[in-house]
Amino acid sequence: MDFRINSLFVSIMVLVSVLLPGCITYQISKYVEGDEVIVPKEKLVVGKTTLEEALSVLGAPDKVAKVGLENLLVYERALLYRNRIKVGIPLSQVARGSLSMAGYGTLVRYDSLALFFNTEGILSHKTFAEGSSHPYFKTLFSDKQ
């Protein structure tokens, strides 16, 4: 069904561009914020790995917080995809100005690794989410369960 809707939309836009003077632009953007989140399972063992060992393996975290008595390290990468279409029709012969329409869609996905360390600096638990629609802190402190 999506393919038909997209094909119909593109067909209408091409027809409009042929019949009316003007231009159509279509832009696809991809942005990446943060480093790739890698989960070395054999090096991050719950109940064994220390805070210092985790930092030496993964490097500096993107976010640090204190949750209760535990320290939380968050490694996160955001991937943004955007599609944008713009149609412009000059109306200089009829009026001073032009007609312009634009539309866009954006999709953001987050890869997050969260490491919780107890007061002794030992890894108490870890979570990994790939392709989440929200950053880790938003899901951690959300009222929805």
Side-chain angles (χ1 to χ4, degrees):
M1 188 67 174
D2 285 338
F3 182 75
R4 285 186 183 174
I5 292 171
N6 290 337
S7 298
L8 179 64
F9 180 69
V10 170
S11 300
I12 291 170
M13 296 309 289
V14 169
L15 184 63
V16 167
S17 70
V18 169
L19 296 177
L20 295 172
C23 65
I24 294 177
T25 59
Y26 185 70
Q27 177 185 22
I28 300 172
S29 303
K30 178 182 174 185
Y31 302 101
V32 177
E33 183 178 308
D35 295 327
E36 183 179 4
V37 179
I38 300 171
V39 186
K41 294 179 183 180
E42 65 280 347
K43 294 187 179 183
L44 296 177
V45 180
V46 174
K48 230 176 174 183
T49 304
T50 65
L51 177 62
E52 292 80 17
E53 291 171 342
L55 289 172
S56 69
V57 170
L58 297 170
D62 296 309
K63 297 172 185 148
V64 178
K66 191 149 185 89
V67 179
L69 296 175
E70 295 186 315
N71 292 312
L72 168 64
L73 305 181
V74 178
Y75 297 86
E76 198 161 58
R77 175 175 74 162
L79 303 160
L80 175 123
Y81 302 97
R82 176 176 287 158
N83 294 319
R84 178 179 169 172
I85 190 162
K86 185 174 182 180
V87 178
I89 302 170
L91 301 174
S92 58
Q93 294 176 357
V94 179
R96 292 184 182 249
S98 63
L99 176 64
S100 178
M101 296 182 298
Y104 67 92
T106 303
L107 176 66
V108 181
R109 292 290 178 230
Y110 297 90
D111 296 339
S112 305
L113 171 64
L115 304 174
F116 292 85
F117 292 89
N118 61 22
T119 54
E120 290 83 32
I122 304 296
L123 182 64
S124 59
H125 59 280
K126 61 184 177 179
T127 62
F128 177 67
E130 186 174 19
S132 172
S133 58
H134 299 288
Y136 187 74
F137 276 123
K138 188 171 184 179
T139 58
L140 182 67
F141 298 112
S142 173
D143 292 338
K144 297 178 184 178
Q145 293 295 331

